Amino acid sequence: MTANELRSKYIEFFKSKNHAEISGQSLIPENDPSVLFTTAGMHPLVPYLLGEKHPAGTRLTDYQKCVRTGDIDEVGDPSHLTCFEMLGNWSLGDYFKKESIAFSYEFLTSKDWLALDPKKISVTVFAGDENAPRDEEAASYWKEVGMPEDKIAYLPASDNWWAAGPTGPCGPDTEIFYWVGEGLPPQGSNKGTDSANWMEIWNNVFMQFERKDEKTLVPLPKQNVDTGMGLERTNCILQGKTSVYLTEVFQPIIAVVEKLANYKYGTDEAKDRSVRIIADHSRSSVFILGDQKGVSPSNIGAGYVLRRLIRRAVREGMKLGIDQSFLAEIAEAVIANFKCAYPELEQNAQKVKSELTQEEAKFRDALKNGEKEFQKMIPNLMKNPKKEVSGKTAFKLFDTFGFPLELTMELAAENGFTVDTEGFKEAERKHKEASKDPNLKAGGGLAEQSDVTTKYHTATHLLQQALVNVLGSQVAQKGSNITNERMRFDFTFERPMTKEEIQQVQDIVNEQIKADLPVTMEIMPLDKAKEEGARALFTNKYGEDVKVYTIGTKDKWFSKEVCGGPHVQHTAQIGDFKIEKEQSSSAGVRRIRATISGGLPLDK
């Protein structure tokens, strides 16, 4: 079974169980300053898991591209990835543990679906602690579908408890594992007794409590199920492969690297590691650049992570002897492999290849400049009795010039110096704090939602329309970031705005706020929304029902957008709007930073 077939079968199965298929969303989270990328399939569904009504109903399924870069340095082994796909199904106050477990087991073991060997499946459930009881309920439903007692491991909250944060929705989960060791698992073997030979493929989260404070859990009136299956890992198991890199997800990419490097994968482990890093990082970079709201390489936030992925791939290519630009050629293989599931990759192909080529050229120039900078340092280093390049200096070479630590160490050794590698790691750790994605399961990763952020979110609708009015129809939103203190709004435009244009946009927004226009929501099919003139930038499938927010009256509206919310009820609630700064975000993209103050209280 191929990855494409697995993706289709998963959706087909859950549609047969009355789940509505919904679109996967952008890799760049909307209005969520807590994470740089969509890190889990549930991320775009957070508002609905917290109680908002979903236009498609109470049973949902989709596939979602995700990026996690917290363990980027682990990439290179046979299993770690920065970019991966999650297959998900959700119950929003509909079914709960019994049905969720039965669905998962049927899909995995039924001859009509994946037909995996039940003897090679084990599960974990929550062991219980002082806050919540042992999840005997989930265990009993596993036994009901035929799971032997010795294949059920009871593990602590660190393994089998999900929380949205220090307060809010939370609950136990059950994780499903498949045996990857030799033969059949021995009697009594499960994740709890032999973690090395069991690979996690699916996680079902049961949101049944609300945490009021550190010691208080109360049952939720509406219980939800959130599940996620890793496509690459499950695909690997179905094909009997020992590594995700041996499946057709990565083999076309690896074939290009083999040709460029004149090297056969599987010959030398050190070189294989370089090939895997190139394959993962180039795929991740294509997915980020080709996203509906794709970012560009930069020195901050998601752009910094993207730059790091590209430059690490180039460096590993150099280790393999690839001296010419090569990432654009690899991008063609990625796009060809994934364009059916993610058509935006093909739509943005030219941009993807162009930005990869530009960034690769910048990095190769940076390496030359970094080497020159190092040569300038030698006279001062000669005066140092320790003959040591400080960690701070080594990191400056890395951060400013993109000069890898191992190159600094090579140059240092050639000149009789050492490098303070621990000092480098400490400087890098401090810098990476601002660019690290949290673990959604452990820490939540949910956007702060308050009356103020709700006002800011509605203001982005007014700002977008005002920009179109002043600058023209070429303006399109590329992303936004909202906190309680300010909003950032990125949009396509080729030049800096004039002072007069900035003032004009600000005035238009404030006029609409002072007019106290109504803000209304209507659920309708996407094609109907577009017919009515609604802006729908980040939706990629037609036929779904969507939420359309209109600012103004039905016959005379100022703004109409497909959006998930939240929004004020009328514009006077927003308050005074002020543009604090307009600047470049990346090539062809401008950024506005704005604040609001005052405004009427929101209706409750």
Side-chain angles (χ1 to χ4, degrees), residues 171-223:
D173 61 28
T174 183
E175 296 181 346
I176 306 172
F177 295 81
Y178 197 76
W179 176 258
V180 291
E182 292 292 325
L184 290 173
Q187 187 76 27
S189 175
N190 57 45
K191 169 66 177 176
T193 61
D194 180 11
S195 60
N197 286 308
W198 291 95
M199 180 186 287
E200 181 191 346
I201 56 174
W202 208 337
N203 182 20
N204 296 20
V205 174
F206 306 125
M207 299 182 194
Q208 64 183 106
F209 300 105
E210 180 181 2
R211 185 180 294 283
K212 295 291 189 181
D213 54 45
E214 194 175 317
K215 296 182 179 179
T216 310
L217 288 177
V218 297
L220 283 170
K222 189 169 81 169
Q223 299 172 326

Side-chain angles (χ1 to χ4, degrees), residues 5 110 162 285 444 465 566 568:
E5 290 167 339
S110 169
W162 179 90
S285 299
Q465 189 58 51
V568 301

Side-chain angles (χ1 to χ4, degrees), residues 530-575:
K530 290 197 168 190
E531 283 174 14
E532 292 190 1
R535 187 172 282 111
L537 294 175
F538 309 132
T539 310
N540 52 24
K541 279 188 187 171
Y542 287 75
E544 292 182 13
D545 283 344
V546 294
K547 290 184 174 181
V548 178
Y549 282 87
T550 300
I551 301 178
T553 63
K554 192 172 182 66
D555 298 327
K556 188 179 179 182
W557 46 268
F558 177 77
S559 166
K560 189 187 288 278
E561 285 194 34
V562 173
C563 188
H567 299 79
V568 301
Q569 292 83 27
H570 47 102
T571 57
Q573 293 173 323
I574 296 173

